[in-house]
Amino acid sequence: MNLKSILAAGALALGTAGFAAADGHEPTKVGFIYVGPIGDLGWTYEHHQGLLAVEEAYGDKVETMYQETVPEGADAERAITQMALQGADLIFTTSFGYMDPTINVAAKFPDVKFEHATGYKRADNVSTYSARFYEGRAVIGHIAGKMTKTNKIGYIASFPIPEVVRGINSAYIHAKKANPDVEFSVVWVYTWFDPGKEGDAAQALIDQGADVIMQHTDSTAPQAVAKEAGIYSFGQASDMAAFAPAPRISSIIDDWAPYYVARVGAVMDGTWESTDTWDGIGPGMVEIGEISDVVPAEVKAEALALKAALADGSYHAFTGPINKQDGSVWLAEGETAADFGDDGLAGMNFYVEGLTGDVPN
Amino acid sequence: MDFSNINPAILLASLMIAATPILLAAVGELVVEKAGVLNLGVEGMMVVGAVCGYIFAINTGSPLLGFVGAAVGGALLSLIFAALTQYLMTNQVATGLGLTLFGLGLSALLGTEYLQLRPPSTAGLRLSFLGDDLGRLDVMVIFALVLVAAVWAFLKFTRAGLILRAVGESHDAAHALGYKVIHVRVAAIAFGGACAGLGGAYLSLMRVSQWTEGMTAGAGWIALAIVVFGSWKPVWVLVGAYLFGGVTVLQLNLQVAGLAVPVEYLSMSPYLITILVLVIMSSGRGRAALNAPAALGRSFHASG
C-alpha cells in the first residue's frame, strides 16, 4: 500500500514534469542539495548565491528549491529522490559525498538532469563540475609561506579525498618555494561543517606554534579563533570579508553563478548534455579575494603575478620537478601534472615530498 | 613526532572548554529524564540558545546577559514541547524530533541579521588570574561544574528531588500521593531547556565566539547519548562529557604533533573511548544498568 502510493506519487510527478516540458509555459524546476546550512558563509553559502543568480537571470521562467544540511551517504539518496519526485528538471548535488547517491537516483529518473559537484562519476543524465581550487591554494600558499614567522603553517583538512589532497600539496609546494624552512601541520577533522570542532582544530594548531592557518572546511570558526590569537588565516570557499584585514589576509572564492545560469539555460533550450567541467582562475570559477594591507606590497605583487600566470595558462600549479613523499619522481623537470590517468590530479591520493604524516585511507 | 609542543595545562583548559556545552545540555536533560520525560529536542534547544545568547549579548553588550537570554530562549522553546506532550498528550519521541527541526529553522531565521556581527568581548568572564595557560578558562566552565554538583545534591538530598524522582519512576504512585505530576514535569522540561540554551550560548559566545547556522552540529545528540551512557547519574554524565571533550581535543593535538597512529583511529576515538568507558562503568555496578527512570517516555493522564 505504502509502496504503491509512493509509486503513484512518483508517476504523477513524472507525468506533470512531462506536461511542464511540453507546455512550455510551466517554469523549469531546479533543485539544489546542500551539505551545510546556507548561512555557513563558506561553501554552501556560495552555492546558494548561484541559486539566487539563477532566479535573477530567469525570473518567472524558473522555480528553485533547495534542501540544506543533507548528510552525505544513504540519507542523501532519499533527499535527492524526494526532489526528483517533486518534479525537478535539473538537480545540483553540491558535495563530493553525494556522488554515488546521485548516480543511483539518476538511474531511476532518466528524464531528470543531474549535476554533481567535485565528483568523477558521470552518466547520460549526470554531469560533473568542479573548480581548480588548487590554483587558488597555490596563490595563498605563497602568501602563507611569506607571512609565517614561526615557519609553521596549520592546515585544517576535512576528508581525505583527491580535492582536499590536491589543495594541501599545492599550498605546500608554493609555500615551500616562498620559504624553504616552512613546515605544514595537517589536522583531519572528518567534517565539512562543525564550527566547534573546526575551532578546536585551529586552537590546537596555534597552541603548537602555527601562526598561519589554512582551512578546507566550510565555517568561519577558524577565522574567529585566529582573530583571538592574533595570527593570520585565509577565507575559504567564500570571501569571509568580515574578518579582513586580519586575521583573513586573502581568500579563495568559489564563483558558481555563471556555471549554474548557463546549465539551467541549457536545460531550458534543450541543449543540455552530460559534460565534465573543471575550471580554474582563468574562466573565473576560482577567485582570489582581496589581499589585505597587512601583507607587504612586494608579497602581494608576487601573489598577483602568480595568479596572472595561472590564469593565462603560462604556469601550471603542479610543474616538475616534484617528487612524491617517498622520494620517487612524480613530475620530471618542466613536466606538468595531467588531469587524469595514473597519478593524475583527478584521483590524487598521495602527498608530495616534504609533507609529514600519511594521507588517511 | 614532537610532543614537547603540547602543554598539559593548555590541553586541560581546552578540554574543559570543549566539554562544557555538552555537559550543560546533558545535565539539563538528565533532570528531564529523571522526571520521566524523554526530550529528544536537545539539539534544537541548544541551537536556539546559541542564537538567543548571541542576540542578547550583542544588543546589551554584556555576554552575561547573553547567557541569561539563552537560558530563557531555551526554556521557552522547551515549553512548547511541554505543552504538546504534557497537556495534549503527544508522543514524546516524535515531538522531540520535531522540536529539533523547528529549533534549527527558527534559529536560522532569528539569526539572519546577526551572521556577520561580532559578539562583545568575553575577556571579563575569563579566569585570567590563573595565568596564561589556564587563564583561558571562564566562569561558565566553573558554573557548569557547580551545576552538576547542585543537580546531584538536589536529586539525592532534597525533598523536591525525591518528588521529581518519584514522578519519573511511577507517575501513578506520585499522583496518588497528591503530587502534581504534570507541574513537576513541566518545571523539569523548562530547566532542561534552559540548560541546553546555556550550552548552545557557550558555543556561540565563548568557544567559537560567532553565530553560524546549525553551529551545534550534533552536540545535542552527543549530550543525549551521554545521559544514557552515564546511567542517569550526574557524576558519570560529568565523566562522559569531559571524556568526550577531552579525547576530541587530545586527538586533534596528537595529530598536530604528528603521532604515528592512523588518523582514522584518532578521529573515531572520542566516540569509541566514551562508549567503552561508560559501558564498563555501568556494567560493573549491576543495578546501574537498570537505572533508567521506570516511567521514562510514558505520557501521564490523571484519569488513566
Side-chain angles (χ1 to χ4, degrees):
Chain A
M1 174 64 197
N2 217 350
L3 186 66
K4 261 188 204 163
S5 56
I6 291 171
L7 287 175
L12 200 66
L14 282 177
T16 12
F19 272 122
D23 187 57
H25 290 295
E26 291 292 322
T28 303
K29 285 193 178 178
V30 186
F32 289 78
I33 302 281
Y34 296 143
V35 72
I38 58 175
D40 69 354
L41 300 180
W43 176 261
T44 297
Y45 175 81
E46 287 298 328
H47 285 285
H48 194 64
Q49 294 301 307
L51 177 150
L52 296 176
V54 167
E55 285 182 344
E56 172 93 29
Y58 298 112
D60 291 346
K61 288 190 286 180
V62 71
E63 194 180 313
T64 59
M65 52 182 143
Y66 63 89
Q67 190 172 348
E68 299 171 85
T69 319
V70 175
E72 298 181 318
D75 200 41
E77 199 160 324
R78 186 193 55 75
I80 302 167
T81 304
Q82 181 86 25
M83 213 165 251
L85 287 173
Q86 280 171 11
D89 302 299
L90 174 64
I91 298 175
F92 293 95
T93 55
T94 64
S95 189
F96 180 80
Y98 302 145
M99 182 160 67
D100 290 329
T102 303
I103 295 292
N104 292 345
V105 178
K108 289 183 220 153
F109 294 90
D111 294 336
V112 180
K113 315 276 192 288
F114 294 85
E115 299 249 355
H116 175 241
T118 70
Y120 52 80
K121 291 187 183 169
R122 274 184 303 286
D124 284 346
N125 59 336
V126 182
S127 284
T128 52
Y129 62 102
S130 184
R132 295 181 187 270
F133 308 112
Y134 65 85
E135 295 186 352
R137 296 270 167 203
V139 179
I140 66 169
H142 179 86
I143 301 174
K146 289 284 186 188
M147 295 301 284
T148 177
K149 293 193 177 61
T150 61
N151 292 329
K152 203 162 175 184
I153 294 172
Y155 201 111
I156 304 168
S158 47
F159 293 97
I161 58 173
E163 181 201 328
V164 177
V165 176
R166 276 195 302 272
I168 296 170
N169 284 333
S170 176
Y172 177 73
I173 288 167
H174 294 88
K176 189 90 178 170
K177 271 185 193 159
N179 174 0
D181 296 327
V182 88
E183 274 178 50
F184 265 46
S185 289
V186 181
V187 174
W188 297 92
V189 291
Y190 283 90
T191 179
W192 288 114
F193 177 82
D194 183 342
K197 199 167 184 186
E198 292 170 50
D200 286 346
Q203 192 65 58
L205 287 162
I206 295 165
D207 286 343
Q208 295 192 44
D211 66 348
V212 177
I213 298 278
M214 291 186 183
Q215 64 179 100
H216 202 138
T217 51
D218 300 348
S219 91
T220 50
Q223 312 283 328
V225 174
K227 189 181 177 78
E228 189 96 352
I231 63 145
Y232 298 131
S233 61
F234 297 91
Q236 159 65 12
S238 189
D239 196 27
M240 303 188 176
F243 292 90
R248 173 222 161 276
I249 47 178
S250 184
S251 61
I252 300 178
I253 307 171
D254 312 341
D255 185 7
W256 306 106
Y259 180 77
Y260 287 162
V261 170
R263 298 304 283 174
V264 172
V267 168
M268 284 175 166
D269 58 28
T271 56
W272 191 94
E273 282 180 347
S274 172
T275 54
D276 176 36
T277 305
W278 201 9
D279 285 345
I281 291 180
M285 201 178 253
V286 176
E287 287 173 24
I288 301 296
E290 198 198 348
I291 300 170
S292 75
D293 294 339
V294 178
V295 179
E298 74 267 19
V299 177
K300 184 174 176 175
E302 289 162 12
L304 291 176
L306 179 57
K307 178 188 163 187
L310 287 161
D312 65 21
S314 56
Y315 173 69
H316 190 288
F318 292 105
T319 303
I322 301 175
N323 289 347
K324 291 188 186 179
Q325 191 181 30
D326 59 14
S328 62
V329 176
W330 176 38
L331 298 172
E333 177 82 42
E335 194 185 347
T336 57
D339 283 354
F340 300 101
D342 291 346
D343 293 346
L345 293 177
M348 187 180 251
N349 60 358
F350 57 87
Y351 280 154
V352 295
E353 192 172 44
L355 281 164
T356 52
D358 297 321
V359 180
N361 295 317
Chain B
M1 214 182 314
D2 180 12
F3 298 119
S4 59
N5 282 331
I6 299 182
N7 176 334
I10 287 186
L11 198 63
L12 179 71
S14 305
L15 86 83
M16 290 173 83
I17 290 169
T20 296
I22 307 170
L23 178 60
L24 283 166
V27 81
E29 177 67 11
L30 179 137
V31 172
V32 179
E33 294 192 10
K34 271 291 185 189
V37 179
L38 181 64
N39 185 354
L40 295 183
V42 181
E43 177 85 0
M45 300 186 297
M46 276 187 93
V47 77
V48 165
V51 77
C52 287
Y54 206 70
I55 292 172
F56 271 81
I58 284 181
N59 287 326
T60 62
S62 153
L64 222 45
L65 283 176
F67 280 109
V68 173
V72 172
L76 282 178
L77 188 69
S78 72
L79 285 178
I80 299 177
F81 174 86
L84 288 170
T85 57
Q86 301 307 307
Y87 295 101
L88 300 174
M89 302 290 147
T90 60
N91 177 290
Q92 293 182 7
V93 171
T95 312
L97 292 173
L99 194 71
T100 288
L101 296 176
F102 177 63
L104 285 168
L106 180 70
S107 63
L109 181 67
L110 290 173
T112 357
E113 307 276 311
Y114 292 85
L115 275 175
Q116 304 267 17
L117 298 182
R118 318 282 336 127
S121 165
T122 50
L125 299 182
R126 303 227 183 254
L127 308 177
S128 41
F129 60 87
L130 288 175
D132 280 350
D133 299 343
L134 288 174
R136 64 170 73 163
L137 290 175
D138 51 77
V139 289
M140 289 307 290
V141 172
I142 308 302
F143 174 80
L145 290 172
V146 172
L147 190 69
V148 172
V151 164
W152 171 76
F154 170 80
L155 289 174
K156 196 168 173 74
F157 298 119
T158 69
R159 185 174 171 78
L162 185 64
I163 295 170
L164 185 129
R165 281 188 289 141
V167 166
E169 292 299 334
S170 167
H171 47 222
D172 295 324
H175 176 66
L177 287 170
Y179 296 123
K180 307 272 190 208
V181 172
I182 301 291
H183 291 188
V184 170
R185 287 191 169 165
V186 170
I189 291 168
F191 176 78
C195 287
L198 285 177
Y202 188 80
L203 208 54
S204 65
L205 290 175
M206 309 291 298
R207 185 167 160 216
V208 184
S209 51
Q210 64 173 284
W211 162 248
T212 311
E213 277 179 32
M215 68 182 303
T216 45
W221 300 108
I222 302 287
L224 272 165
I226 282 175
V227 174
V228 177
F229 286 116
S231 59
W232 293 272
K233 292 195 167 98
V235 179
W236 293 126
V237 165
L238 174 72
V239 170
Y242 270 41
L243 203 64
F244 183 81
V247 183
T248 304
V249 169
L250 184 66
Q251 68 96 357
L252 292 172
N253 274 280
L254 290 177
Q255 277 196 46
V256 177
L259 180 71
V261 164
V263 175
E264 300 90 318
Y265 296 114
L266 286 175
S267 193
M268 68 171 94
S269 60
Y271 306 92
L272 280 184
I273 294 179
T274 309
I275 291 173
L276 216 68
V277 168
L278 293 172
V279 162
I280 291 168
M281 293 198 164
S282 55
S283 68
R285 302 174 134 236
R287 216 177 62 86
L290 306 167
N291 204 29
L296 183 60
R298 284 170 45 204
S299 293
F300 172 75
H301 192 268
S303 64

